[in-house]
Amino acid sequence: MQIVNEHRRKDIHNSDIPTVCVACEARHGGVCGTLTPDQLLDLSRHSTRRSIEPGREVVGQGETTDSYANIISGVVKLSKVLADGRQQIVGLQFAPDFMGRPFTRESALTAEAAVDTDICCFPRTVIERLVSEAPGLEHRLHEQALKELDEARDWMLTLGRKTAQEKVASFLYIIATHIDPEQGAAKEFDLPLSRSDIADYLGLTIETVSRQITKLRKDNVIRIENSRHVTVPSLDRLMDVAGID
Amino acid sequence: MQIVNEHRRKDIHNSDIPTVCVACEARHGGVCGTLTPDQLLDLSRHSTRRSIEPGREVVGQGETTDSYANIISGVVKLSKVLADGRQQIVGLQFAPDFMGRPFTRESALTAEAAVDTDICCFPRTVIERLVSEAPGLEHRLHEQALKELDEARDWMLTLGRKTAQEKVASFLYIIATHIDPEQGAAKEFDLPLSRSDIADYLGLTIETVSRQITKLRKDNVIRIENSRHVTVPSLDRLMDVAGID
DNA sequence: AGACGCCTTTGATTTTGATCAAGTCGCCGA
DNA sequence: TCGGCGACTTGATCAAAATCAAAGGCGTCT
């Protein structure tokens, strides 16, 4: 595991106010704005940048989490497994999301990089101290939790009530709009997940995912190259197939 | 809709500190402890008690929510529907949960009483003012959001990866442990949901739910009277069938 | 280049749960 | 007491997705 942790004293000690983490030069998902310059400096001093290759586990289910992290780039899968190995991905986190589970030491999930991912970690003790000092930070974490809750509930509708075809289209829609949130235009992107991951996200098997992707291709809803690179000519068409109003 | 709103000045103006909402005599899911007596009085003055019969909608999907509520007794279903009418229950709220969606005016879901339910409502303006004054209240709301997020993700595993039998057993397990959280003992309770609601919660059809309940009965995992009253002789056995480790 | 391994696709068959279709049960009101 | 109605159950059949099985592509290592 590659650790990069360089604190640039020059940025900190000169007169301009830091608004960006000195360890990773990122804004930490909007948190920076909720902190005073001193608090940001405090946070930055304790932050550690890590690069994670696909498939590497960040936190295992049931392990103690002792850090929070901000995703600088990449995609992280959050998943749960049953005793017999059946697996369900319960959330995807994209930059610049926060990861971490406030106010509990046990992680109920496994977090794993889906593609090459850079994160910036902070010890929970530092975050919890800052939360007690800066109410704006708790508000920011609260908003993140509410966003994840909304996403989880949307996905429950997909898992419980949509057909395989609609599920796959819904997944492509999520990725397409995350990669490039602009409306209207044709979308082109690389899938951050393997067929196996997509199956675990959708509650399907690999074979069903593959067949449904083939069907979307044959129906000209999407184009595919190298099994990972996707073009969506019309997002409206995709939404229609996905059952999104 | 029945409105009960009686403010007992005697409780407020005598010397002892109020720790309980004067409108409904409840503790509002632990919120009371996060407020000063003055703030609690403020909240109580604006609170309104409502009784809701089963099936009545509290807030419709897409409607503006202008109040928060604390569930005094009963069960509330949170659900989402697709354009063609397919429905998914995305959460159940039991007393003394908080309901309401902080920091947004649009409700993405429908909230509906599953059984006779009493709630105590506060206007969002009051809650949001108190949040800005009392950081402990935001913390309390944050914890509620995290609890709902955990429950949603657990349920995603059920929806995506469990069989019909495991789903029904998982549902019974949730109800059993909510009604009576004590470990070990045999559980006996009335189902707060109809077969149709259970189906919408589990992503199944009524018929499948019915067949699986019949099977659990024949396998002596549960006993049933009047199709609503359930006895679970061994919670361990139920957990086993539900695939809960 | 060739061989191995992994991911993906495609095909044949089976299974699970959905759908269609009658019943049954309990409750309420005439 | 009898209908009638809604909620639930049960049975027969069907369809969607899982499973089993066999390729096909693509990158990498030798």
Side-chain angles (χ1 to χ4, degrees):
Chain A
M1 181 183 310
Q2 185 190 347
I3 306 267
V4 184
N5 189 0
E6 36 169 309
H7 292 148
R8 311 251 183 72
R9 297 301 163 95
K10 67 175 168 56
D11 288 353
I12 294 168
H13 286 297
N14 65 19
S15 58
D16 45 9
I17 295 165
T19 57
V20 163
C21 174
V22 293
C24 62
E25 301 183 322
R27 299 187 67 91
H28 291 316
V31 155
C32 296
T34 69
L35 299 174
T36 66
D38 278 354
Q39 287 168 337
L40 183 60
L41 175 53
D42 186 5
L43 181 64
S44 294
R45 279 240 173 79
H46 293 94
S47 60
T48 313
R49 186 147 174 182
R50 285 171 53 190
S51 292
I52 305 166
E53 59 266 41
R56 172 179 288 285
E57 206 170 82
V58 183
V59 193
Q61 188 167 339
E63 285 176 17
T64 35
T65 347
D66 33 49
S67 61
Y68 280 53
N70 187 48
I71 302 177
I72 312 298
S73 68
V75 180
V76 172
K77 305 176 284 182
L78 303 179
S79 58
K80 283 176 167 272
V81 291
L82 250 20
D84 63 3
R86 282 174 287 173
Q87 183 163 148
Q88 177 67 45
I89 292 178
V90 297
L92 289 180
Q93 312 230 257
F94 299 84
D97 286 346
F98 251 117
M99 290 200 314
R101 186 65 177 75
F103 320 121
T104 182
R105 299 198 60 80
E106 279 281 292
S107 167
L109 340 129
T110 299
E112 196 178 309
V115 295
D116 282 311
T117 297
D118 285 355
I119 63 178
C120 186
C121 303
F122 335 103
R124 77 181 306 107
T125 50
V126 175
I127 286 280
E128 284 176 4
R129 177 159 45 77
L130 288 176
V131 160
S132 66
E133 292 166 9
L137 179 55
E138 171 131 44
H139 186 74
R140 178 62 189 76
L141 294 176
H142 188 180
E143 281 188 329
Q144 170 78 22
L146 290 169
K147 174 179 154 256
E148 289 178 29
L149 181 58
D150 280 348
E151 288 170 355
R153 285 176 167 165
D154 274 342
W155 205 245
M156 287 171 78
L157 179 60
T158 300
L159 285 174
R161 287 301 182 201
K162 289 190 185 174
T163 64
Q165 177 80 159
E166 290 169 328
K167 284 179 175 182
V168 170
S170 297
F171 166 73
L172 293 171
Y173 175 80
I174 284 186
I175 302 300
T177 49
H178 250 286
I179 301 296
D180 168 19
E182 276 157 54
Q183 279 297 83
K187 306 287 180 197
E188 194 172 348
F189 52 89
D190 282 319
L191 290 176
L193 265 55
S194 68
R195 297 293 186 269
S196 168
D197 285 337
I198 299 171
D200 283 345
Y201 194 35
L202 297 169
L204 299 171
T205 58
I206 307 185
E207 295 93 327
T208 300
V209 170
S210 180
R211 279 184 244 273
Q212 295 304 334
I213 287 179
T214 300
K215 181 164 183 345
L216 288 173
R217 187 168 46 68
K218 286 185 177 159
D219 294 349
N220 295 312
V221 179
I222 56 171
R223 260 173 293 129
I224 292 229
E225 290 151 58
N226 302 342
S227 85
R228 283 275 188 147
H229 191 80
V230 176
T231 310
V232 179
S234 160
L235 206 59
D236 286 346
R237 180 82 192 290
L238 183 65
M239 286 172 71
D240 201 44
V241 177
I244 301 169
D245 32 289
Chain B
M1 183 181 312
Q2 185 191 346
I3 306 267
V4 184
N5 189 0
E6 37 171 306
H7 292 149
R8 311 251 184 72
R9 295 301 161 97
K10 65 172 168 60
D11 288 352
I12 294 167
H13 286 297
N14 66 18
S15 58
D16 45 9
I17 296 165
T19 58
V20 162
C21 174
V22 292
C24 61
E25 301 182 323
R27 300 187 68 90
H28 291 317
V31 155
C32 297
T34 70
L35 299 173
T36 66
D38 278 355
Q39 288 168 337
L40 182 60
L41 174 54
D42 184 5
L43 181 63
S44 294
R45 279 240 173 77
H46 293 95
S47 61
T48 313
R49 185 144 173 184
R50 286 171 52 189
S51 292
I52 306 167
E53 58 266 43
R56 174 180 286 287
E57 206 170 79
V58 183
V59 192
Q61 188 168 340
E63 283 175 19
T64 36
T65 346
D66 34 48
S67 61
Y68 280 53
N70 188 46
I71 303 176
I72 312 298
S73 68
V75 181
V76 173
K77 305 175 284 181
L78 303 179
S79 60
K80 285 177 167 268
V81 290
L82 250 19
D84 62 4
R86 281 174 288 174
Q87 183 164 145
Q88 176 68 45
I89 292 179
V90 297
L92 289 180
Q93 312 230 257
F94 300 84
D97 286 347
F98 251 118
M99 288 199 315
R101 187 63 178 77
F103 321 120
T104 182
R105 299 198 61 79
E106 279 280 296
S107 166
L109 355 117
T110 299
E112 197 179 307
V115 295
D116 282 312
T117 297
D118 285 356
I119 62 177
C120 186
C121 303
F122 335 103
R124 76 180 307 106
T125 49
V126 175
I127 286 280
E128 283 176 3
R129 178 160 46 74
L130 288 177
V131 161
S132 66
E133 292 166 9
L137 179 55
E138 171 130 43
H139 186 75
R140 178 64 189 75
L141 294 175
H142 188 181
E143 281 187 330
Q144 171 78 19
L146 290 170
K147 174 179 154 261
E148 289 179 29
L149 181 57
D150 281 347
E151 288 170 357
R153 285 176 168 165
D154 273 341
W155 205 246
M156 287 171 77
L157 179 60
T158 299
L159 286 174
R161 289 300 183 202
K162 289 190 185 174
T163 63
Q165 176 81 157
E166 290 168 328
K167 284 179 176 183
V168 171
S170 298
F171 166 74
L172 293 172
Y173 175 78
I174 285 186
I175 302 301
T177 49
H178 251 287
I179 302 296
D180 168 19
E182 275 158 55
Q183 279 297 85
K187 307 287 180 196
E188 193 172 349
F189 52 90
D190 283 318
L191 290 176
L193 266 55
S194 67
R195 298 291 186 271
S196 168
D197 285 337
I198 298 172
D200 283 345
Y201 194 34
L202 297 169
L204 298 171
T205 59
I206 306 184
E207 295 94 328
T208 299
V209 170
S210 180
R211 279 185 245 272
Q212 296 304 333
I213 287 180
T214 300
K215 182 165 184 340
L216 288 173
R217 187 169 45 68
K218 286 184 176 159
D219 294 350
N220 295 312
V221 179
I222 57 173
R223 257 173 296 128
I224 291 228
E225 290 151 57
N226 303 342
S227 84
R228 283 273 189 149
H229 191 80
V230 176
T231 310
V232 179
S234 160
L235 206 57
D236 285 346
R237 180 83 194 290
L238 183 64
M239 286 174 70
D240 201 43
V241 177
I244 300 168
D245 34 289

